[in-house]
Amino acid sequence: MSALTQTRPLDHVADFPAIPAGWAYLDTAATAQKPQEVIDAITRAYDTDYATVHRGVYQRSADMTLAYEAARRKVAKFLNAGSENEIVFVRGATEGINLVAQCWAGTQLKAGDRILLSQLEHHSNIVPWQMVAERIGAQIDVLPLTADHRIDLDAMAAMITPQHKLVALGHVSNVLGSVLDGRRAADIAHSVGAKILLDGCQSVPRMTVDVAALDCDFYVFSGHKLYGPTGIGVLWAKPALLEAMPPYQGGGAMIDKVSFAGTTYAPPPGRFEAGTPHIVGVLGLAAGIDYVTRIGLERIHAHETALVKLTRDALSQFNSLTLFGPEDSAGIVSFSIAGVHPHDIGTILDEAKVAVRAGHHCAQPLMETLGVDATARASFGVYNSAADVEALVRGIERVTRIFG
């Protein structure tokens, strides 16, 4: 019995008009395809329902404002946040991390303080911290990985000191699919008084996330990986932290009162949402949450885990192929083939109607740790099946014949 048939497989490819028959889309870690109901929600918002929010006294604007704020409550429930006021809408996880870097770390940290990252972080969870550290004179330390490519939390417990004020880690690696024990990481951070931010881009589409149970301080994710539109994301933070943070940008909507003598600011989350927001993006994100919630994140995780096992078992039969990441990776399989550049792998697979990612995946320090310049990466979603794995394996067979 295959790993996939041990669980009830999902069959949702018909929900996705951009996936034609015979095309294996295995690049969900980069961006998820959009189900028709998300497309319909976006179309409806621009078509029959469109108006701005928070400012209009006419009925359509009021209705759009209600829908917009209902979406904020939906995100809060999705993360098990204490209140919708803990939810800040941003352009994506990258902006959310930059907001915390500038408005929290940039105001709370001082010269000599330390920031703790890991070797597997996405560039978006490295560069903002480097920028703020350089400006204020803080230092960055880097956690190693275990032998099976997880963030080494034993090393974290040994390395962390009272000088560490912030820890920023990926909840699920975008390259390796390794899942962090977020609660243990938070407990270690809090043991020395440090705050912890978790990058949830790869976790929220494929597993239940409970920020209260994790006891993290900041959590970020992007909507387009959650079957929603691009240009929208979420920063969640504990209320006291948001209250202590100054605005990220100035403009309309984030103010209490403006005069040339001085300006006072709105309370969170409005303080961090200057200007006209991405209204339609927020509604599309809400539709994406509805979609995965209806299917069930536990079912999605089980389905993707089974596909990962099928893929790793099949690819392990190729002697020239190296697999990265743990056996139980969440929805992601990265690999390399001796003597073949990942871009050539991706090109040949594309000719076979299999779409994978090839490159450093915005994780160049991780590539250095793995001892490669780049990898090929297959990543799964609710629209994938064992047939897509079979197509990938046939494509890899062709790659090895060509370069054999």
Side-chain angles (χ1 to χ4, degrees), residues 45-114:
Y46 274 128
D47 186 5
T48 58
D49 297 350
Y50 186 74
T52 193
V53 296
H54 298 149
R55 297 176 179 86
V57 296
Y58 52 94
Q59 188 61 50
R60 184 181 291 186
S61 177
D63 291 343
M64 187 61 93
T65 299
L66 289 173
Y68 184 87
E69 293 303 328
R72 195 188 303 274
R73 291 191 295 275
K74 184 166 293 181
V75 174
K77 182 179 179 181
F78 183 65
L79 296 177
N80 194 31
S83 164
E84 67 266 29
N85 292 331
E86 300 167 13
I87 303 300
V88 180
F89 289 126
V90 288
R91 290 179 297 169
T94 298
E95 185 175 51
I97 294 170
N98 275 275
L99 195 160
V100 176
Q102 298 302 319
C103 300
W104 188 84
T107 61
Q108 300 295 317
L109 272 59
K110 62 184 184 303
D113 286 341
R114 308 188 79 87

Side-chain angles (χ1 to χ4, degrees), residues 75-203:
V75 174
K77 182 179 179 181
F78 183 65
L79 296 177
N80 194 31
S83 164
E84 67 266 29
N85 292 331
E86 300 167 13
I87 303 300
V88 180
F89 289 126
V90 288
R91 290 179 297 169
T94 298
E95 185 175 51
I97 294 170
N98 275 275
L99 195 160
V100 176
Q102 298 302 319
C103 300
W104 188 84
T107 61
Q108 300 295 317
L109 272 59
K110 62 184 184 303
D113 286 341
R114 308 188 79 87
I115 297 169
L116 190 58
L117 310 177
S118 85
Q119 290 177 331
L120 60 66
E121 300 309 316
H122 190 282
H123 294 167
S124 293
N125 204 26
I126 299 174
V127 179
W129 309 117
Q130 290 177 325
M131 294 169 68
V132 74
E134 182 178 2
R135 189 177 80 240
I136 66 177
Q139 302 296 315
I140 291 177
D141 297 313
V142 183
L143 291 171
L145 305 183
T146 61
D148 63 347
H149 299 156
R150 306 175 195 271
I151 296 173
D152 191 336
L153 293 183
D154 289 338
M156 179 181 173
M159 288 174 60
I160 201 163
T161 71
Q163 284 70 48
H164 288 98
K165 304 303 181 185
L166 180 78
V167 179
L169 302 174
H171 198 182
V172 172
S173 167
N174 73 303
V175 177
L176 305 170
S178 47
V179 181
L180 175 74
D181 182 344
R183 179 55 189 254
R184 185 183 174 205
D187 288 344
I188 295 170
H190 294 157
S191 72
V192 296
K195 306 303 182 188
I196 184 168
L197 176 144
L198 296 180
D199 172 1
C201 281
Q202 301 298 335
S203 50

Side-chain angles (χ1 to χ4, degrees), residues 1 90 159 174 182 291 347 367 374:
M1 182 179 292
V90 288
M159 288 174 60
N174 73 303
Y291 184 76
T347 299
M367 296 297 110

Side-chain angles (χ1 to χ4, degrees), residues 10-23 33-40 291 294-295 381-385 388:
L10 304 180
D11 184 20
H12 291 279
V13 68
D15 297 342
F16 295 83
I19 303 180
W23 187 50
Q33 295 290 336
K34 315 308 171 194
Q36 187 63 55
E37 67 185 71
V38 169
I39 297 170
D40 290 345
Y291 184 76
R294 188 172 63 255
I295 295 171
V382 299
Y383 30 65
N384 293 122
S385 68
D388 296 323

